[in-house]
Amino acid sequence: MTSLPPLVKPPRRTRRDPTGGDAAREWRELVDQPPMYPRISIEANVEIPMSDGVTIRTYVCRPADESGRPIDAPFPTVVNITPYNKRIIKAVDSILTAPILGPTLRKLSADVDFSGTRFEGITEITRVIAGGAADLLTINRHLVRSGYVQLIADARGTGASTGVWDILHEREQLDSLEIIEWARTQPWSNGRLGMAGISYSAINALQAAGHRPAGLDAIFAVEGSENILRELFATGGIPSGFIPMWMATVNAFKWLPTLPPGRAGIDWLRARLSSPATSLGELARGYVTGDDYRLYDGTFFDAVGPLVERIDVPTFLYGCWHDVFAGAGPNLYRRLRLRSGRKQLLMGDGYHANPGIGFGQDGFPPRLDVLERAWFDRWLRDIPNGVDTYGPVTVRRQGSGWVSMTTYPAPYTRQRRLFLSATPSGSADHARHDGSLIDAPEYSPAMPIDIRPGLRSIFSRDTTQTFAGLPAVFGGPFTYDARFPERDALTFSTPPVPTRTVISGGMNLRLNTVAHAHETLWVVWLCDVSPDGSSRQISDGALLASRRAVDEVHSEYAADGEFLAARQLLTRAALLPVVPEVPTILEIPLFATDAVLEPGHRLRIDILAGAPPRYLPTLRDLARTRLARQTVLIDREQPSFLTLRATGSLGAPVVSPDLPELDLPELDLPEPDDTTTEVSL
């Protein structure tokens, strides 16, 4: 019998560094040093024939010598597919590479900082270039000059490509696979491909990876989507104001002058005339009638959603807590069936239009262009540069600094429950009602609290999120202080927390409601309240009462069987009637987050009867609400409560003379493990 070797205790792992440490400095030095090749060659409007006769036109960017002649050798290839017209992308590239102007813009982006002033919201936008996102959005010249080919393709029906825009659907996904197959067989390709991009391009990459095409070896997806229906098209059954703005923009960009000469130009024009404003008419009718298929879950979204569990190539994910796709990053990461290292999650505290703000500065992760280069060097060139040991989960904790973890949500948080109480917290006199969040149901008769729709949410972080972050330049209620829109809200706040408290993961609000019309619209904000009274939104959720039917199979549950993250069915068949004057329980999920409450801060739930322009119900649904009052019913027999994951003490109970003592178990919360390091900024 063979004896087993003695057990050896593994060495204690050092703390994870969200900045990447020495390895990240080497990645950055590699990008900042002069590249291998002096120039790039850009071949414009290279035609790729699709199997249905449509022509996809691309830029092919190759390493070149001093004379601009492309290097005659095969290289790994990075593919970007965009609906935003590659000529616009090239124009941005021309600005960033222009003598004097380009270096000046990069320097200003790195140096100008209005933090701590009334203009600090401007910095939310201006630091994008310095963080490396601009190089991912446009031609990544340093990547190409370092020995990569970059392919930038106009999606069908956009830019210079023919056909009708298919908006992430099956034909467009087949285009991605055919583009990959075409690219890997070209003489300038060594057959190893990656896909990269921001937003729409990131979704293209995730979709393609789920189909497992030959030659695709890695993806770098910035601000992609996991479930576009729930994140954006109809969160809780309510459309977003972002959708019409975005569709109108893409339709406008596709008409920019890009006609190829001769017969090709006629084909291009014929395609545009066949669908001059793709889907905008359907969208407008849907907002009036409520019959748009994109408002309901079904076959359309089954086809659009990436096949995340099938992705088998190394995948780097970047997202941010207030992106238009909200909690997509954590959800994608959790669904990926890849070992840590082959999947990475990086979550910033920003918006859709400002990925990577601050990256590369002290205490921050490496720039996005640095991470992209390191990722593709590792998986397309097999260079053991250590990027697979970064993270694997690196997040910007709202209200704090950067932290690296082994898993998400934070492994040392525990499930908690906070009950809505009518008793004033003394912290929100400005609100429609100032209530409390407590550890146990309040012992008192049932109490109705009414709320009516308002418009103050126009001046809120929801609006900034809807417009991709651009309103952040106005600061105040658009980023840092929700007190003005809270005048239209019911607020429920904890006492000040005595110790530093971490909140991590998704959440769920169980809300006991009474309608006074045949529809109600509920919006929920989770806020961090500072001792000075300012209230910063850190997560949100929404629900139409008629869309309240829960998918019990795919929902997430707390240990006691209550919902930790309910998932509504959102199908047309699952619509439920809203009966006026009858108490109705709603389960409202909030998007995942990661945040810290410092000692003296409070956690607050804001409840609003709508929040335009983030949530724009169809005219039919709006008419059914009659803009009537809506009621939250505080009732010990059917309590309303928030379920979340957190550390520390959050809600000391409000004690009334008749409240019997409750034998509540105390949670034994361990300290953060030694694989987590937080960098306070």
Side-chain angles (χ1 to χ4, degrees):
M1 180 176 179
T2 304
S3 62
L4 295 174
L7 292 175
V8 178
K9 185 177 181 180
R12 183 179 179 84
R13 184 164 189 171
T14 57
R15 290 179 178 268
R16 295 175 182 271
D17 185 351
T19 71
D22 292 339
R25 282 187 283 274
E26 293 178 5
W27 308 334
R28 186 189 64 216
E29 290 168 3
L30 192 63
V31 172
D32 290 345
Q33 70 185 17
M36 185 182 307
Y37 299 99
R39 299 185 63 184
I40 73 170
S41 165
I42 302 176
E43 189 176 359
N45 285 327
V46 176
E47 296 187 354
I48 307 177
M50 298 292 101
S51 57
D52 65 347
V54 163
T55 299
I56 299 296
R57 292 187 170 90
T58 74
Y59 286 136
V60 177
C61 309
R62 298 167 58 189
D65 60 21
E66 284 284 2
S67 67
R69 238 181 355 225
I71 303 299
D72 188 16
F75 296 100
T77 301
V78 176
V79 176
N80 305 74
I81 301 174
T82 178
Y84 300 120
N85 199 317
K86 66 184 187 303
R87 288 190 63 180
I88 294 176
I89 289 173
K90 182 63 174 65
V92 174
D93 169 73
S94 298
I95 292 171
L96 293 177
T97 57
I100 302 177
L101 178 59
T104 300
L105 287 174
R106 290 183 182 273
K107 181 172 174 52
L108 288 174
S109 177
D111 294 346
V112 174
D113 187 356
F114 294 104
S115 298
T117 73
R118 61 183 297 185
F119 304 108
E120 68 179 321
I122 296 174
T123 308
E124 296 274 354
I125 303 299
T126 57
R127 290 156 70 189
V128 172
I129 297 175
D135 297 287
L136 270 66
L137 178 67
T138 63
I139 298 170
N140 192 334
R141 288 177 172 264
H142 201 284
L143 184 72
V144 175
R145 291 171 63 196
S146 300
Y148 287 85
V149 174
Q150 185 178 11
L151 189 76
I152 302 178
D154 285 322
R156 72 166 47 220
T158 70
S161 295
T162 62
V164 174
W165 184 31
D166 197 38
I167 314 182
L168 297 169
H169 219 256
E170 291 169 313
R171 180 60 244 191
E172 186 175 285
Q173 293 178 50
L174 182 56
D175 290 348
S176 298
L177 305 184
E178 293 182 2
I179 291 169
I180 290 169
E181 179 60 24
W182 178 87
R184 78 186 190 96
T185 59
Q186 298 305 301
W188 35 257
S189 172
N190 67 1
R192 303 190 69 178
L193 275 74
M195 291 188 75
I198 299 175
S199 187
Y200 198 99
S201 300
I203 301 172
N204 283 140
L206 291 162
Q207 288 176 328
H211 293 297
R212 298 182 176 177
L216 182 60
D217 290 326
I219 63 173
F220 194 93
V222 175
E223 297 179 338
S225 170
E226 183 252 351
N227 189 312
I228 200 169
L229 168 69
R230 297 170 192 280
E231 297 154 0
L232 189 59
F233 268 84
T235 303
I238 314 165
S240 168
F242 177 85
I243 294 298
M245 174 186 68
W246 169 69
M247 282 192 172
T249 299
V250 176
N251 275 291
F253 283 175
K254 78 182 187 184
W255 278 101
L256 292 179
T258 52
L259 277 79
R263 176 74 186 183
I266 295 174
D267 291 342
W268 181 92
L269 185 58
R270 183 183 294 116
R272 292 297 178 275
L273 291 173
S274 71
S275 181
T278 305
S279 289
L280 280 178
E282 294 174 349
L283 189 71
R285 286 192 297 273
Y287 268 98
V288 174
T289 65
D291 288 333
D292 191 338
Y293 59 90
R294 286 163 297 198
L295 299 178
Y296 301 94
D297 209 350
T299 55
F300 176 81
F301 289 104
D302 290 343
V304 167
L307 304 172
V308 181
E309 285 81 6
R310 281 183 48 82
I311 295 175
D312 61 357
V313 297
T315 300
F316 196 107
L317 303 167
Y318 171 87
C320 45
W321 300 123
H322 301 282
D323 184 19
V324 293
F325 298 124
N331 289 339
L332 285 164
Y333 182 82
R334 294 171 67 184
R335 287 179 60 191
L336 283 170
R337 294 175 178 174
L338 300 171
R339 64 172 175 79
S340 296
R342 288 177 64 86
K343 63 175 181 177
Q344 296 271 349
L345 174 64
L346 181 59
M347 290 293 294
D349 183 16
Y351 306 94
H352 198 66
N354 63 356
I357 55 170
F359 283 25
Q361 297 180 358
D362 290 345
F364 282 76
R367 300 192 315 256
L368 286 174
D369 62 316
V370 170
L371 286 166
E372 181 191 43
R373 167 72 186 279
W375 193 249
F376 287 138
D377 276 356
R378 173 66 184 88
W379 302 113
L380 301 187
R381 285 178 160 167
D382 301 321
I383 298 173
N385 56 14
V387 72
D388 48 331
T389 64
Y390 179 65
V393 177
T394 305
V395 303
R396 177 73 183 267
R397 283 210 161 127
Q398 297 187 75
S400 184
W402 286 92
V403 57
S404 283
M405 302 182 289
T406 55
T407 61
Y408 180 87
Y412 43 84
T413 54
R414 297 293 182 267
Q415 292 172 1
R416 302 291 306 278
R417 182 149 299 142
L418 296 171
F419 293 83
L420 274 59
S421 164
T423 303
S425 72
S427 66
D429 292 340
H430 57 281
R432 290 281 183 97
H433 179 85
D434 170 28
S436 297
L437 281 177
I438 60 176
D439 276 338
E442 189 170 27
Y443 189 75
S444 63
M447 178 177 178
I449 307 175
D450 289 342
I451 188 172
R452 289 185 177 274
L455 295 176
R456 289 187 175 92
S457 63
I458 292 172
F459 302 92
S460 72
R461 201 167 197 179
D462 264 11
T463 295
T464 305
Q465 185 171 357
T466 302
F467 292 98
L470 299 181
V473 300
F474 300 114
F478 291 103
T479 48
Y480 309 121
D481 195 348
R483 280 179 289 188
F484 178 75
E486 282 177 346
R487 295 179 188 178
D488 285 337
L490 311 179
T491 67
F492 299 88
S493 311
T494 67
V497 297
T499 59
R500 200 165 190 264
T501 301
V502 175
I503 298 166
S504 187
M507 295 150 283
N508 196 83
L509 179 66
R510 184 181 192 267
L511 198 61
N512 190 350
T513 68
V514 177
H516 304 284
H518 290 284
E519 184 63 277
T520 53
L521 189 161
W522 299 91
V523 175
V524 179
W525 295 344
L526 187 74
C527 297
D528 171 6
V529 183
S530 300
D532 66 4
S534 59
S535 176
R536 180 179 295 206
Q537 182 184 336
I538 58 177
S539 183
D540 71 291
L543 184 64
L544 271 176
S546 61
R547 313 296 293 274
R548 65 187 182 275
V550 173
D551 180 352
E552 296 185 352
V553 174
H554 295 100
S555 295
E556 188 176 352
Y557 294 86
D560 60 0
E562 297 288 354
F563 291 109
L564 183 58
R567 177 187 173 99
Q568 275 71 35
L569 287 167
L570 298 187
T571 61
R572 191 186 296 269
L575 286 170
L576 294 173
V578 178
V579 182
E581 315 307 329
V582 175
T584 303
I585 300 296
L586 305 179
E587 302 286 354
I588 306 177
L590 280 71
F591 290 113
T593 191
D594 206 277
V596 165
L597 302 180
E598 296 293 350
H601 286 230
R602 302 170 186 258
L603 186 68
R604 173 176 293 165
I605 282 288
D606 291 339
I607 300 174
L608 300 94
R614 169 75 184 280
Y615 298 108
L616 292 179
T618 67
L619 289 182
R620 185 173 69 180
D621 287 332
L622 186 63
R624 289 169 65 83
T625 71
R626 295 193 295 108
L627 300 180
R629 64 188 174 95
Q630 301 175 189
T631 298
V632 172
L633 188 60
I634 304 299
D635 184 355
R636 181 179 176 84
E637 300 303 317
Q638 288 290 341
S640 298
F641 53 80
L642 175 70
T643 305
L644 73 165
R645 292 185 179 93
T647 64
S649 175
L650 275 170
V654 176
V655 179
S656 71
D658 299 322
L659 178 64
E661 290 190 9
L662 298 176
D663 184 18
L664 296 176
E666 293 189 3
L667 294 175
D668 182 19
L669 300 178
E671 292 298 316
D673 63 29
D674 67 340
T675 63
T676 304
T677 298
E678 185 163 341
V679 178
S680 297
L681 302 177

